[in-house]
Amino acid sequence: MPRNGTGFRDAMDWLHTWFGVVLAAVLFAVFWMGSLSVFDREIDRWMIPETRLPASPGDISYDRLLQSALTRTGDSPYLNFVAPDAREPSVRLYYETAAKTFEVLHLDPRSGQVIDVTDSLAGTGFIFPFHFGLHIGWADLGYWIVGFAALSMLLLLISGLFIHRKIISEFFVFRPTKNPRRALLDLHNLTSLIGLPFYFLITFSGLLIFAFLYFPWAGAEPFDGDAARLYAETSGAFEPAPRTGEAAALGSIDAMKASAEAMWSARVDGPVEADIVRVINHGDASAAVYFRSTFPRHRVILSEHVAVFDGASGELLSDFRAGPVRRVSAWIEGAHFVQFGHWPLRWLYFLAGLSGCAMIALGQLFWLHARTDRSGADPAKVRVVRALTVGAVTGLILATAAFFLVNRLLPAPASWLGLDRAGLEVAVFACVWILSFVHAALRGRAAWSDQAYAIAALASLAVLLNWASTGDHLVATATQGLWSVLGMDVVLLTGAIAAATAALRLERERRATAPEGAIVRSARRGAQRIAPGTTQQ
Amino acid sequence: MIIDTLLLLLAAGASLVGCACLALSQDRHLLAVADHRRHPPRTPRHTRSLGWYLLATSLLACTLRDGGAFAALLWPLVVGTSAFAVALTLTYRPELMRPLLGMKHDTSQARRT
């Protein structure tokens, strides 16, 4: 299967094979976490049960929320409210503490009370940032690795098209009854082709989101290195004035919000709502209130409108609408973030992301099968790549299932070795992931079915524990309209069934294709040494 | 709301049948689906065009439902899902596609006689 010629297709084959094998683990992780991120707020509802509130009707009062929040935060220079919606019925508040760190609070939008929530990073705090930064913050290395993988993904997609000779004639072909290599290649090609427009869009838009990280000169040169002016002119970022030390009362945030929304709605056809309400330098004369419409419900474009008001007087300080060039890139980014209110489309994004995961995993499996010796003695490179693939694919899924499971197990005041409860959840994820690589190294081909069984077990347990710890079983969530929790439970159960089915078939195949276990093989070899020629080959 | 649901069903259905037609316009898939005793396999003449028209109908339905912007995102995913469904059907349950063949074959038989 590996080609040794020097033509263009051979070069594309070499490129596709090498970049694929080396980057499959990173790409799978990005696609897996990305697929889950489509439903990151739903994962939040599942992992932070106190926020499983019924959807709040009508308008809420940010003035009242602010007063309630201040009792917990104290006077803070940065208080950022995220407006509630159907997916997130509570109000999330990010605020800066006296120690210059950022914390999160959840508020009940109707009563204004602070909700005592389970300490968990959950979907928006762990799954989503993993997707674009791998949680490797040192020197932005995570962003660079993901960026390099994304650029390589584009190369992989294009080189794959050049290698695949019969794109049209074999578009719908899948031959599982033939040898495994044929079946794997067919399925790899199929999953690649059916999602090709999606993979190009997602990868390109993902790269565009971090364009200024990869090409800082693109932003620096036009503005002579003035980053504040760059972000002010492209995104309406507001540079807060330094605190004057002079106390001043804040005007009505609700009135300012209504005024901002009226202004925006008049500019485009249709109502525009502010989903970010940020109070800057609260209590000071330099206080300002920043409003942004980040994720409109019925448009693809994001962060188009920003308005800033003076805190004390309510005077409009900044009325920003993204310029034409920014609107183009914001549309492409909006197509990646997929936060608009189109449910069929969001579910299709989730499924397309999973098909991307399948495509990547199948590519690796094909590489492994193409180099597997039939007698069972795999060369070292195959054993190493197999162990890494098992850890990167089933190991990552298993670690995610463990992350969800441990969330339902840890008590509220859990703390160990200096880690708080949220940190412990992440530690369990990391440990299970690392152990999955170790397990894969020790078990070889059997590791696939082992880990698939484990995924089925953990995912089912997670659903059961959700029922046990919160009482929100499938019927309860369906009748109460808690769609986030219902969706999460259904996906967990579907995943468990799929994993169990896969594990059973993998085990059956393993027994069929390698009927001689290691013991039998070594026995045969021993007999050959003692009496050569007496055993059959 | 009802219209939205109907348009989505139309988009999905047209895409599914359209992909099926495109698959059946290829000899290897026709052979896999056709019942050799009653219908000797011949490449149906207008199946491929019908397939493309159905995919275009699906795009139109998506555009009518949500406008061009969302249709640009939705339609490729709908077609991709349909293509996947057709590929799996051809592999595991090819007989499910025989009704489509029945319609086309009668036309070509009538034309011959």
Side-chain angles (χ1 to χ4, degrees), chain A residues 294-341:
Chain A
T294 318
F295 298 122
R297 286 192 56 72
H298 301 292
R299 304 187 74 195
V300 179
I301 192 174
L302 43 72
S303 299
E304 197 180 350
H305 305 281
V306 173
V308 187
F309 294 81
D310 181 63
S313 63
E315 174 200 337
L316 183 63
L317 294 177
S318 160
D319 172 18
F320 174 85
R321 187 190 181 193
V325 173
R326 174 60 193 145
R327 288 209 295 276
V328 171
S329 65
W331 192 98
I332 300 173
E333 291 175 20
H336 188 104
F337 274 89
V338 73
Q339 295 293 302
F340 34 74

Side-chain angles (χ1 to χ4, degrees), chain A residues 144-158:
Chain A
W144 283 98
I145 295 173
V146 174
F148 180 72
L151 188 60
S152 306
M153 181 66 170
L154 291 176
L155 291 177
L156 284 163
L157 291 171
I158 296 170

Side-chain angles (χ1 to χ4, degrees), chain A residues 168 172 174 176 194 298 340 342, chain B residues 26 65-66 70 80-81 87 91:
Chain A
I168 303 288
F172 296 100
F174 172 40
I194 57 166
H298 301 292
F340 34 74
H342 193 312
Chain B
Q26 296 179 322
R65 187 182 190 273
D66 303 311
F70 283 105
T81 314
T91 304

Side-chain angles (χ1 to χ4, degrees), chain A residues 192-212:
Chain A
S192 309
L193 287 170
I194 57 166
L196 202 62
F198 172 77
Y199 305 141
F200 270 117
L201 172 72
I202 275 291
T203 312
F204 176 74
S205 54
L207 281 168
L208 192 65
I209 291 170
F210 287 112
F212 281 159

Side-chain angles (χ1 to χ4, degrees), chain A residues 156-235:
Chain A
L156 284 163
L157 291 171
I158 296 170
S159 57
L161 283 171
F162 277 112
I163 304 171
H164 192 27
R165 270 171 301 179
K166 303 175 188 169
I167 295 176
I168 303 288
S169 64
E170 290 192 356
F171 193 92
F172 296 100
V173 166
F174 172 40
R175 292 161 286 198
T177 52
K178 292 210 170 185
N179 66 75
R181 272 159 49 177
R182 183 75 261 170
L184 285 170
L185 187 58
D186 277 351
L187 203 51
H188 173 70
N189 294 342
L190 181 63
T191 47
S192 309
L193 287 170
I194 57 166
L196 202 62
F198 172 77
Y199 305 141
F200 270 117
L201 172 72
I202 275 291
T203 312
F204 176 74
S205 54
L207 281 168
L208 192 65
I209 291 170
F210 287 112
F212 281 159
L213 174 68
Y214 313 131
F215 295 100
W217 318 276
E221 197 186 287
F223 292 91
D224 298 314
D226 189 350
R229 203 156 62 88
L230 161 70
Y231 290 114
E233 293 203 19
T234 56
S235 332

Side-chain angles (χ1 to χ4, degrees), chain A residues 18-42:
Chain A
W18 269 101
F19 274 77
V21 170
V22 171
L23 290 166
V26 176
L27 286 169
F28 187 90
V30 171
F31 264 80
W32 171 250
M33 290 297 176
S35 305
L36 294 179
S37 295
V38 175
F39 296 121
D40 60 355
R41 295 199 196 179
E42 282 74 13

Side-chain angles (χ1 to χ4, degrees), chain A residues 247-265:
Chain A
L250 198 67
S252 164
I253 305 176
D254 294 324
M256 295 180 208
K257 180 168 181 282
S259 157
E261 288 173 349
M263 194 169 67
W264 296 338
S265 303

